[in-house]
Amino acid sequence: MTGMPIDIAVALDAVVAAVSDDEPRVLVRSPGEHLPADALPAGTFDPDADATLDAGLRRWVTEQAQLDLGHLEQLYTFGDRGRDGRRRVLSVAYLAFVRESTPRAPRVRWHPWYRYFPWEDWRDGRPAIVEDAIFPAVEAWVAAATDPQARHDRQRRTRRAIGTRRAPWNEELVLERYELFWEIGLVAESRAPGPMLLGERMAFDHRRILATALGRVRGALRYRPLVFELLAPDFTLPELQQTVEALAGRRLHAPNFRRLVEDAGLVEPTGAARQTAGRPAKLLRYRPDAIAERPDAGIGFR
Amino acid sequence: MTGMPIDIAVALDAVVAAVSDDEPRVLVRSPGEHLPADALPAGTFDPDADATLDAGLRRWVTEQAQLDLGHLEQLYTFGDRGRDGRRRVLSVAYLAFVRESTPRAPRVRWHPWYRYFPWEDWRDGRPAIVEDAIFPAVEAWVAAATDPQARHDRQRRTRRAIGTRRAPWNEELVLERYELFWEIGLVAESRAPGPMLLGERMAFDHRRILATALGRVRGALRYRPLVFELLAPDFTLPELQQTVEALAGRRLHAPNFRRLVEDAGLVEPTGAARQTAGRPAKLLRYRPDAIAERPDAGIGFR
DNA sequence: GTAATAGTGTCTTTCAGACAGTATGAC
DNA sequence: GTCATACTGTCTGAAAGACACTATTAC
């Protein structure tokens, strides 16, 4: 009834994220033989070796990066035919967080996430690349549509992905933006890359997976206490804020951030303090019970 | 570097949802040979026949139910070893919406969603099953933990999944509840089912997939204009409200609902009206431009 | 003292929930 | 007129953003 069995190679791809020096970083394998550009840690799923997909993924990451993953969640399953030009047809992508970026292994490194997406970091205001490169290129693409209906569709898609005067830039639509740029030929991975290429390229469709991950992280930040997976057990409120800002890609208002976190009951003081250049900051720890009390506890900034 | 190719059978499972007569319904295959209980439409993914996972899924649903799907989104990929006791080890689940529940095919029927989850429908207040069956059973399970640490963990998990005085029932945690009941033996699919079994059973792990879907729908309702996929092109505001209530599993305040929908700019009047037993209701249509203007436009009820 | 960073109090706007009341149809 | 359903206006309270201000360190 459900057809003859057909066997397919299944890959597991890992987006392993950390934040250090206020910079979101992602674990990548450096280029080498068979690897034209940076690639995510990945491997084949072997059901005989691993009971679950999670377990298989953890095993590959340990093997390739000597790293034990903390929080792990499934991202998306990509199944385009010949998506990476090889035999593999299905790949299940996962998103993982680790507390520190110290562990290393040969051929693997922590790379700043925004090198692949320079247009996504608005912490110092709107990046020049948006004004100088993206808006003109996308506007030209919209204008190039001959059919009025097609032009209207492009207009709408553009407005959603990169905003306009009326519709502001939506920081969560990372994937929509990347796919738009891919289609227009603004990224090296495009089928027909144009003369101007944005950001660093990755192997296969790994930058698309990374875009999916960044969008997911930004959406989840508000609703779930994800950030704490990236911080040391003890941290200060400014450190927490800077980590959130790094991932959200924009600045937050410190007094309000403080109130949001405290009112949510997400943290408690340890009693100690951390030396800084100014007034010392109180050390805090995460209070896991918060999630039981308020099931949607996150840092509800807008 | 990424290991020898290993081939795996990949299944596609479809949760196809519709709302008719104020009742959320899901498309199921009726029991028969090789099918011990209701099952979701499903089939094997064949990359030679279908370029994408989506396309394969649409083909299977068309074949099994003579039904063309509208909106389709990926739900989750399940990969537990021997999850359905047969050879298949991976299954990619999708969620689809259709506007009407008219089309049919042999051995396939529209079944009320809440038959599988009677504890999820709070439209007429808290269901008796929650008070009479679920709370006692879960409390007994918590109390049965000998280790104090284990008891505390069970306590916390319970509080999150089904609430208490302080923590209210969270309508989105459908999967957490189902998994809790599965573990305690309150559903027929459990490894060790107890004497009391809640809701109708399904084949394989399909009820778990259905729980994932219901949780996803409830979460997405607030942020994305999903409901309109389930309604005829013209509809009244009360119809819209009842459809949302059916999926959310609870009643909403009509005046506020009206304001939320109108302020979001999600609908516009067609000019016509629908006859009812009282004052006629104005007919509306969905305004797709709303999503471009306010990218997070949904029906933001709490 | 100044500079630098951490932290507090309060005003204002926004928005969702409650509720009282009005409108328009069938009978 | 009554009944039933659709729709409107207004108050209220919670929460988030802006902003002015205070606190505690190093120098």
Side-chain angles (χ1 to χ4, degrees), chain A residues 7-8 44 74 77 81 87, chain B residues 2 7-8 47 74 77 87:
Chain A
D7 289 345
I8 293 166
T44 306
Q74 195 179 292
T77 298
R81 171 148 48 187
R87 215 183 118 272
Chain B
T2 51
D7 289 346
I8 292 166
Q74 195 179 291
T77 298
R87 216 183 118 274

Side-chain angles (χ1 to χ4, degrees), chain B residues 10-150:
Chain B
V10 173
L12 299 168
D13 295 324
V15 177
V16 186
V19 176
S20 53
D21 304 323
D22 289 349
E23 201 54 47
R25 290 169 206 275
V26 66
L27 193 68
V28 295
R29 291 182 286 145
S30 301
E33 50 167 346
H34 306 307
L35 257 196
D38 289 348
L40 297 173
T44 305
F45 175 51
D46 175 0
D48 294 326
D50 300 295
T52 64
L53 291 167
D54 296 34
L57 189 108
R58 285 182 196 275
R59 197 166 55 78
W60 277 114
V61 173
T62 304
E63 192 168 303
Q64 293 178 4
Q66 271 88 59
L67 196 71
D68 284 331
L69 302 179
H71 176 81
L72 184 66
E73 64 183 75
Q74 195 179 291
L75 249 191
Y76 199 80
T77 298
F78 299 87
D80 300 334
R81 171 149 49 185
R83 54 179 272 279
D84 63 0
R86 294 184 300 178
R87 216 183 118 274
R88 174 196 308 169
V89 288
L90 208 81
S91 92
V92 186
Y94 274 79
L95 170 63
F97 290 125
V98 296
R99 284 190 187 274
E100 296 204 350
S101 56
T102 36
R104 291 173 129 269
R107 317 207 57 103
V108 159
R109 66 189 205 282
W110 289 101
H111 198 61
W113 204 327
Y114 292 128
R115 295 276 179 81
Y116 303 112
F117 305 102
W119 56 87
E120 295 291 350
D121 186 2
W122 288 50
R123 283 177 294 174
D124 302 318
R126 174 149 65 187
I129 195 175
V130 174
E131 197 71 47
D132 303 343
I134 292 177
F135 275 141
V138 173
E139 277 162 17
W141 174 72
V142 171
T146 45
D147 178 24
Q149 176 61 38

Side-chain angles (χ1 to χ4, degrees), chain A residues 15 117 284:
Chain A
V15 177
F117 306 101
L284 308 171

Side-chain angles (χ1 to χ4, degrees), chain B:
Chain B
M1 182 169 203
T2 51
M4 286 286 100
I6 295 167
D7 289 346
I8 292 166
V10 173
L12 299 168
D13 295 324
V15 177
V16 186
V19 176
S20 53
D21 304 323
D22 289 349
E23 201 54 47
R25 290 169 206 275
V26 66
L27 193 68
V28 295
R29 291 182 286 145
S30 301
E33 50 167 346
H34 306 307
L35 257 196
D38 289 348
L40 297 173
T44 305
F45 175 51
D46 175 0
D48 294 326
D50 300 295
T52 64
L53 291 167
D54 296 34
L57 189 108
R58 285 182 196 275
R59 197 166 55 78
W60 277 114
V61 173
T62 304
E63 192 168 303
Q64 293 178 4
Q66 271 88 59
L67 196 71
D68 284 331
L69 302 179
H71 176 81
L72 184 66
E73 64 183 75
Q74 195 179 291
L75 249 191
Y76 199 80
T77 298
F78 299 87
D80 300 334
R81 171 149 49 185
R83 54 179 272 279
D84 63 0
R86 294 184 300 178
R87 216 183 118 274
R88 174 196 308 169
V89 288
L90 208 81
S91 92
V92 186
Y94 274 79
L95 170 63
F97 290 125
V98 296
R99 284 190 187 274
E100 296 204 350
S101 56
T102 36
R104 291 173 129 269
R107 317 207 57 103
V108 159
R109 66 189 205 282
W110 289 101
H111 198 61
W113 204 327
Y114 292 128
R115 295 276 179 81
Y116 303 112
F117 305 102
W119 56 87
E120 295 291 350
D121 186 2
W122 288 50
R123 283 177 294 174
D124 302 318
R126 174 149 65 187
I129 195 175
V130 174
E131 197 71 47
D132 303 343
I134 292 177
F135 275 141
V138 173
E139 277 162 17
W141 174 72
V142 171
T146 45
D147 178 24
Q149 176 61 38
R151 184 153 57 243
H152 183 252
D153 289 348
R154 288 186 180 187
Q155 190 82 261
R156 215 159 70 178
R157 184 165 166 202
T158 295
R159 201 159 65 171
R160 176 171 161 82
I162 66 171
T164 56
R165 290 104 241 138
R166 292 173 59 201
W169 183 278
N170 182 331
E171 73 203 25
E172 290 184 28
L173 304 181
V174 184
L175 180 62
E176 282 84 340
R177 281 187 282 275
Y178 179 74
E179 288 185 334
L180 178 66
F181 299 164
W182 188 91
E183 208 171 311
I184 303 185
L186 296 180
V187 292
E189 293 91 335
S190 295
R191 195 183 307 266
M196 184 187 64
L197 299 177
L198 306 171
E200 296 181 12
R201 74 160 299 160
M202 294 189 78
F204 319 126
D205 61 349
H206 286 187
R207 198 144 58 131
R208 188 167 153 225
I209 296 176
L210 216 48
T212 307
L214 187 53
R216 170 79 67 95
V217 169
R218 287 182 171 180
L221 270 182
R222 289 185 177 72
Y223 310 111
R224 286 154 45 199
L226 277 187
V227 224
F228 303 105
E229 305 284 344
L230 296 162
L231 290 163
D234 290 9
F235 51 86
T236 67
L237 222 140
E239 285 167 7
L240 174 62
Q241 180 176 345
Q242 280 155 20
T243 305
V244 172
E245 287 175 339
L247 294 168
R250 64 185 177 93
R251 295 283 166 213
L252 301 171
H253 194 73
N256 294 339
F257 182 83
R258 176 175 299 273
R259 188 185 41 195
L260 285 171
V261 172
E262 287 175 349
D263 288 1
L266 286 169
V267 298
E268 61 189 1
T270 67
R274 165 119 63 225
Q275 206 66 289
T276 69
R279 173 176 173 176
K282 293 198 183 86
L283 279 171
L284 308 171
R285 73 169 71 91
Y286 174 55
R287 231 170 54 79
D289 279 339
I291 199 67
E293 294 163 10
R294 306 188 24 165
D296 59 343
I299 297 164
F301 64 90
R302 281 201 184 132

